[in-house]
Amino acid sequence: MTDAPSLSFENVAVQYAGRTTRALDGVSFVAQPGRITAIVGPNGSGKSTLVRALLRLTPLVSGTIRVGNDALPTLTPRELARRVAVVPQREEPTLPMQVDDFVALGRHVHRAAFGALRVEDRRAIDHALARAGMPAAAQRRTDQLSGGEWQRVRIARSLAQDSPVLVLDEPTSFLDIAHEMAVFELLDELARDGRTVLLVSHQLNLVARFASHMVLLHAGQVAAAGSPLDVMQGALLERVYDWPLVITRDPAVGALSLLPLRRRGGSS
């Protein structure tokens, strides 16, 4: 893998047809190589729209997305896929297929259009399944997987793609605690290896433990950005999420932790 480029969003604005307000309105931040950058915020704040804009599924009203020094429109789909692997929030294969064949889709950008899988492709597929915790699932069909298994297989496909930038939209959906932690540990390992990791997540407490940089979105704008210490502020998060909460520090690991409170009548 070559040196990872940064992923930059520069004054990005998106407005969906028929909407009177912008889904993103002047969003700027940079995901740097060697760290996890986490996008957080309530439902409807624009988190997944950032991923859709990166995938060119929705046009920009203004602004620029760059991979390294290259603006997104200058990259062909193949060039973009070689640099950026994306795990979107929702995805289902049109027809059931064998798991290792699905993960092999990540190798498409590294071979000719109709070329057979090479030894290095098979090696990359096996390695990706192992890192995602799914080595025993290679011969199963995708429609036989649980929700959590399907999430990990999708992550395996992105790892097989071997792109220096990895973007994931809610990758721990449907995962139990152990596999949720395993995914965050894997992302931390990938970042330490030098990849650029951009993560969209609702899991604020895990993000505060693993991310180096957080970007808090609210109503399509950046409400705060910086280290977890900068963003995990009680008054700020209470305003953005419109719910009473307190920020504590986990005595076991020392990380900042959000604790939502009962609105009324409860003691826990």
Side-chain angles (χ1 to χ4, degrees):
M1 185 183 68
T2 58
D3 292 340
S6 60
L7 182 61
S8 306
F9 290 76
E10 302 170 4
N11 198 34
V12 169
V14 170
Q15 185 165 347
Y16 292 115
R19 302 288 181 87
T20 57
T21 59
R22 291 181 172 181
L24 295 173
D25 191 6
V27 171
S28 297
F29 67 90
V30 180
Q32 298 281 8
R35 72 181 187 184
I36 296 175
T37 298
I39 309 300
V40 299
N43 292 336
S45 60
K47 301 186 302 298
S48 292
T49 299
L50 283 171
V51 180
R52 289 181 57 82
L54 175 62
L55 290 171
R56 297 190 275 213
L57 296 176
T58 186
L60 303 188
V61 173
S62 62
T64 305
I65 300 174
R66 296 185 189 276
V67 183
N69 294 322
D70 297 317
L72 199 59
T74 68
L75 299 173
T76 67
R78 189 177 184 88
E79 288 171 335
L80 180 61
R82 280 181 175 272
R83 301 188 197 186
V84 182
V86 179
V87 181
Q89 187 177 95
R90 298 181 183 88
E91 176 187 21
E92 292 290 343
T94 305
L95 295 172
M97 57 195 307
Q98 197 163 287
V99 164
D100 58 354
D101 289 335
F102 177 80
V103 176
L105 295 175
R107 300 301 301 167
H108 177 69
V109 298
H110 298 288
R111 54 197 180 92
F114 300 103
L117 289 174
R118 302 159 299 176
V119 172
E120 56 263 42
D121 295 321
R122 290 292 182 188
R123 188 181 300 118
I125 293 165
D126 292 342
H127 184 57
L129 282 166
R131 293 192 86 174
M134 294 295 288
Q139 305 304 310
R140 292 170 62 188
R141 293 196 333 174
T142 54
D143 61 344
Q144 297 172 335
L145 302 174
S146 69
E149 289 171 332
W150 173 232
Q151 284 292 86
R152 287 183 281 152
V153 165
R154 293 168 66 229
I155 292 171
R157 182 195 57 189
S158 72
L159 296 178
Q161 193 170 325
D162 198 30
S163 303
V165 180
L166 182 60
V167 178
L168 308 99
D169 191 356
E170 299 290 354
T172 59
S173 297
F174 308 110
L175 299 186
D176 58 33
I177 293 172
H179 289 111
E180 190 174 57
M181 281 296 296
V183 167
F184 270 89
E185 292 281 9
L186 172 59
L187 298 181
D188 181 67
E189 180 183 328
L190 293 170
R192 291 176 184 274
D193 286 346
R195 277 184 170 87
T196 300
V197 179
L198 179 63
L199 166 69
V200 174
S201 180
H202 280 293
Q203 300 287 5
L204 278 168
N205 291 340
L206 282 176
V207 163
R209 287 178 65 181
F210 287 91
S212 302
H213 190 71
M214 295 176 67
V215 179
L216 174 64
L217 294 184
H218 180 48
Q221 298 182 329
V222 176
S227 70
L229 188 62
D230 296 324
V231 176
M232 294 287 283
Q233 300 288 331
L236 170 65
L237 295 178
E238 191 168 79
R239 174 177 61 82
V240 167
Y241 285 92
D242 191 27
W243 195 266
L245 56 87
V246 295
I247 301 297
T248 63
R249 193 171 286 276
D250 191 308
V253 297
L256 293 169
S257 180
L258 180 150
L259 178 65
L261 303 175
R262 298 281 296 274
R263 256 201 210 282
R264 64 174 73 88
S267 60
S268 61

